[in-house]
Structure formats: C-alpha cells, structure tokens
Amino acid sequence: MAKRKRLTPPNPTYLDTPPLETKSMFASPRSAPIADVARDASSTAALNELSDSLARARDEGRMVVDLPLDQIVMDHLVRDRLVVDETEMQTLKTSLRSRGQQTPIEVMQLGDGRYGLISGWRRCRALAEIAEENHSSDPTVLALLRRPEDAPDAYLAMVEENEIRVDLSYFERARIVVKAVDEGVYSSERTALQLLFHSASRAKRSKIGSFLPVVRALDGVVRFPQALSERLGLGLSQALNDDPAFADRLTERLTAAKIDSAEAETALMTKVLTVQNQSLKSGSETKSADPEPAFRDETIGAFTLRRHRDGTVSILGAAWPHRVEPDLKMLLKAASDYVEK
C-alpha cells in the first residue's frame, strides 16, 4: 500500500513577489518621454488660454469682481441725480439685506487701487449705510470693470442707466448737460444734449434744452430742483430769455425767502413769474396804445406832402393834373426842403 504524502500549508506570501520573469511580463509599459512632453505642453497651453480669457473678461467688463467699497471714488463724475428719496433708499437697503446685491455697479480703473464710479451710486450708498449699521470694517461691492474710451462714454453710461432706472426731473437732466460742458467733456451744450440723450425723443430733448437757461440761472439757488415741474420750468425759461434781468430778481427773492419745503419754493417762483409776465404784458400794452404814426402830412397849396415812417415822401393832390403848373415849382422846392429836414 502506497504511503500518503503529507501536504504542507500554503505560503501566504508566495504571490506577493512574483519572479522576475513574471514581473516583467505583467508590468505596465512605461510611457514614451515625448508623450509626457506633449501632455505637459497641452496643460500649460490650456491654463494660459484660461488665464487670458479671464483677464480679457475682466478688462472688458464682462466679469463681476468683488471690490472694497472704500476704493470706489463716488464723485468721479458729476452726478445727474441731485436728491435721493429716503423711502426708496430704505426699500433698496431692505432688498440688499434680504437678497444681497443682485446687480453690479459699473466702475473704471483710476490707478493706485482706486475705481471711479460710473453707475450705481445708490447701491454704493446703501451698502455703505448697511456696513455702518452692522459695524463692518471691510464692506465690498460687486462691480463690472468698464473701460470707457473717453469721458463722454462714461457720462453716457451714467445717463442711460438713470434714464432706465430713475425718473429724473428735467432740471436734473439739463444740469448734467451743463456740467458735462463745464467739465470740458463736450464742446457745446447742443452737442452734449444730442449725444447724452440720443435715445430720447425729439420732443423730450427739446424740453431738456428749454431747461438749460433755468439751470444756468438757478443751479445752487433752488433748494428743491427735483420738484420743479415741467410747466413752471418752461415758464421760467421763457421769462429768462425775454428779460435777462429776471434771473437776478428771482435769485434775490429765493435767497431772501425762508423756504423749508418744495411746495413753498414752487409757490414763490410761481408768484414771481406771474408778476414778471404781468409786467411784460403791461409794457407791451403801453407801447401799442401810443404807436408811432405811420406818416405825417403837410398841406402846401393844393397838394399834400406826406412823409412816411421809412423816410420816403409822397405828393398827393386832388386836382392832378389841374392847377399843377402854378404850384409845381413851389411844391418841388418844399418837398426838397422837407426831405432835407
């Protein structure tokens, strides 16, 4: 009977280190060096392209950036908005607290880490007030970096945003035209009016233009310019054009008066304008009541010598051609003497 062979237990580490031949047979092949170079070059190119795209988007104003609020120069442009309604400001602050800033402001780089505000003045002010109320030391604002080619583009951006978002008065619209010319942005008020309000109707531009004399005469004098109605403003403009001295009289009355409301200021300007119009009307009636005669007559013999307002002389006679010869020499001499006078 054959003797049974005793089996030894399995070696648990037998397969951990395969023979050299087996290792070389199953090892993954090493990639070629040229493949590593190509892969690295492709990754670098993709990263550079992404960086360039982000830089272009930032420079061209297509990327929203988070900027420190204290680096925004709020008065970089002369603002067209003169007065902010506190009720509207509270509504805006409530929205910013509950939903955050939904619409970025627009700024342009000024250098030294500063940014000039183009549009979004109310949002900046509301965020600043919220930060002060919350004792926040580093408030930020979401912004689009614009790159206006020159100052007119910046003013146009501000005007267009407020035309869409805010119901500005005609006085405020006309004021930004005057200020843009004063700042040297435009060469004339007509050019500024045409370019800043190019999207407005011709009638609207005409009304804005009518308010230009009012702005020149009363900017800084009226306390509630946003309440100046279209009708009153057009009346003031007409009076200022008719009588240049009216500006001084109106300014004197407004400066001397103790005005504490828009209603009181409107009532005073209406009163002064009414008196001015009555004075102009009275003067016109006085002139028309005693007009210069169209001609003056002088009788010489059988003829009448008529001198007209334009200096010409007519010879009139009921008996022409009768009785001409005896009086003709005397008539012509008298006419010659009369013209010389």
Side-chain angles (χ1 to χ4, degrees):
M1 184 173 182
K3 185 178 180 181
R4 293 180 179 180
K5 185 177 181 179
R6 186 180 296 274
L7 297 177
T8 59
N11 183 2
T13 63
Y14 179 77
L15 297 177
D16 289 349
T17 306
L20 182 60
E21 296 78 3
T22 306
K23 184 185 298 186
S24 62
M25 182 183 300
F26 293 100
S28 59
R30 179 180 178 84
S31 58
I34 188 62
D36 294 338
V37 173
R39 183 176 60 251
D40 293 343
S42 177
S43 301
T44 302
L47 181 60
N48 291 337
E49 183 179 356
L50 178 61
S51 300
D52 292 342
S53 298
L54 291 176
R56 285 196 303 271
R58 176 186 173 93
D59 293 341
E60 295 172 4
R62 295 183 287 108
M63 184 173 68
V64 178
V65 295
D66 200 22
L67 299 177
L69 191 57
D70 58 4
Q71 294 182 6
I72 307 299
V73 181
M74 301 280 284
D75 58 352
H76 172 62
L77 300 180
V78 178
R79 313 310 303 177
D80 52 359
R81 187 197 311 274
L82 295 178
V83 179
V84 177
D85 186 275
E86 288 303 322
T87 301
E88 294 180 357
M89 181 60 67
Q90 291 301 324
T91 302
L92 177 58
K93 289 166 64 175
T94 300
S95 174
L96 289 171
R97 290 192 187 98
S98 61
R99 303 178 62 241
Q101 183 186 350
Q102 300 296 307
T103 306
I105 65 171
E106 293 180 295
V107 298
M108 58 185 297
Q109 289 183 327
L110 301 179
D112 299 329
R114 299 181 307 126
Y115 301 87
L117 181 66
I118 296 176
S119 65
W121 187 88
R122 283 199 320 154
R123 276 161 282 167
C124 286
R125 176 176 168 181
L127 289 170
E129 291 182 3
I130 292 174
E132 184 177 356
E133 294 168 1
N134 296 338
H135 304 288
S136 175
S137 58
D138 299 310
T140 60
V141 59
L142 298 177
L144 288 170
L145 289 179
R146 298 302 191 193
R147 192 172 54 180
E149 296 300 326
D150 47 25
D153 287 343
Y155 274 90
L156 180 60
M158 176 185 65
V159 168
E160 287 183 341
E161 187 207 29
N162 282 335
E163 283 296 298
I164 295 172
R165 299 176 182 276
V166 185
D167 186 18
L168 295 176
S169 66
Y170 280 105
F171 186 98
E172 290 172 308
R173 292 185 176 103
R175 182 177 180 271
I176 196 59
V177 172
V178 173
K179 292 301 181 182
V181 174
D182 292 345
E183 293 289 325
V185 178
Y186 298 99
S187 59
S188 67
E189 290 177 351
R190 180 178 181 180
T191 301
L193 180 61
Q194 290 289 338
L195 295 180
L196 288 176
F197 296 95
H198 67 94
S199 59
S201 65
R202 180 177 299 180
K204 187 173 184 178
R205 282 199 304 270
S206 176
K207 291 177 182 178
I208 297 172
S210 298
F211 270 75
L212 294 177
V214 182
V215 172
R216 286 193 294 266
L218 301 180
D219 187 29
V221 178
V222 290
R223 297 172 175 82
F224 303 94
Q226 78 285 355
L228 186 60
S229 67
E230 176 185 335
R231 180 178 181 180
L232 178 56
L234 294 177
L236 292 173
S237 178
Q238 184 64 48
L240 290 167
N241 288 328
D242 292 341
D243 182 8
F246 176 62
D248 293 335
R249 293 195 295 272
L250 180 58
T251 298
E252 183 179 356
R253 292 291 302 275
L254 290 171
T255 304
K258 295 181 179 179
I259 298 174
D260 56 1
S261 67
E263 292 76 12
E265 186 173 65
T266 298
L268 177 59
M269 287 191 290
T270 302
K271 180 179 179 180
V272 176
L273 178 61
T274 301
V275 173
Q276 173 71 9
N277 290 338
Q278 290 176 347
S279 176
L280 291 176
K281 183 179 180 180
S282 175
S284 176
E285 290 176 350
T286 301
K287 292 181 180 179
S288 61
D290 187 20
E292 181 183 352
F295 57 84
R296 288 180 294 175
D297 290 343
E298 182 178 350
T299 301
I300 302 177
F303 302 93
T304 298
L305 205 62
R306 174 168 295 176
R307 184 173 184 177
H308 299 271
R309 188 183 300 172
D310 60 1
T312 60
V313 176
S314 300
I315 301 174
L316 307 178
W320 195 275
H322 302 289
R323 297 167 53 191
V324 172
E325 294 298 334
D327 299 325
L328 182 57
K329 183 176 180 180
M330 178 185 65
L331 178 62
L332 294 176
K333 184 177 185 304
S336 177
D337 295 340
Y338 194 81
V339 171
E340 290 179 358
K341 292 179 183 179

